[in-house]
Amino acid sequence: MQGQQEQDVAAVRAVVDDLIAAWGRHDAEAYGALFTQDATYTTYVGTFYQGRRDIVESHRALFAKFLKDTQLADEILDICFYGPEVAVVNGRGDTYKGRRPRKLGKVQTYTLIRENDGRWRIAAFHNTQRKPLMEAMSYKFAPGIVPAADR
């Protein structure tokens, strides 16, 4: 069982690596191929996309305009498996031009499923903009809300 979980961790990490590589090439089709046909995608500004085609078309437009010449940075914080077919990945990420930022400004959650062809694909993605100053102030006035990992 341990060997299978290690293979699954590697496969899930490979999906995120492939996502970063597709973004770097501004290849909307390759980016979208990493999602299930009915995937959902929520951006940090709250835009909600439904389905692979919607994800591909929106990224084609984004890569041509707002995200032109950007790269994607991603840092996986945690991978949890909920049975043999579902994985939830929590991490941090950001888009950038030039040098990769030291601190990534977004918190991201990927829900991946193993599809019938045996490949892991993203079924849901959610992206939230971090507010470090607000977070620090909240921690100061309510220390009990500090996550265990940050204590």
Side-chain angles (χ1 to χ4, degrees):
M1 188 57 135
Q2 182 71 11
Q4 181 60 50
Q5 184 160 9
E6 289 172 6
Q7 288 176 3
D8 288 340
V9 166
V12 166
R13 285 184 176 278
V15 171
V16 176
D17 290 345
D18 290 348
L19 200 70
I20 293 166
W23 187 291
R25 297 187 310 272
H26 297 112
D27 185 342
E29 289 293 335
Y31 188 82
L34 297 164
F35 292 83
T36 63
Q37 286 292 341
D38 61 349
T40 60
Y41 192 106
T42 306
T43 70
Y44 80 94
V45 297
T47 307
F48 179 79
Y49 297 102
Q50 180 125 31
R52 181 184 290 161
R53 187 69 359 224
D54 208 14
I55 294 166
V56 168
E57 294 306 321
S58 65
H59 279 80
R60 183 174 284 117
L62 287 165
F63 291 151
K65 190 161 182 103
F66 297 120
L67 298 174
K68 187 175 184 172
D69 299 325
T70 62
Q71 297 297 311
L72 183 63
D74 200 287
E75 173 185 301
I76 293 175
L77 301 175
D78 182 59
I79 300 175
C80 290
F81 290 91
Y82 297 93
E85 313 299 324
V86 178
V88 175
V89 177
N90 289 290
R92 293 209 169 100
D94 225 327
T95 57
Y96 65 97
K97 290 183 180 181
R99 185 175 291 162
R100 185 184 194 274
R102 284 185 305 116
K103 292 189 177 185
L104 303 181
K106 297 173 186 151
V107 177
Q108 301 172 325
T109 303
Y110 302 88
T111 302
L112 290 88
I113 62 169
R114 187 189 330 255
E115 292 199 299
N116 291 335
D117 64 1
R119 292 189 60 198
W120 287 94
R121 288 190 180 84
I122 303 163
F125 172 75
H126 189 97
N127 197 9
T128 302
Q129 183 73 40
R130 287 190 76 205
K131 305 281 187 197
L133 179 59
M134 188 165 216
E135 189 177 62
M137 289 176 54
S138 298
Y139 291 174
K140 181 177 177 146
F141 292 106
I145 69 170
V146 177
D150 293 341
R151 288 186 207 139

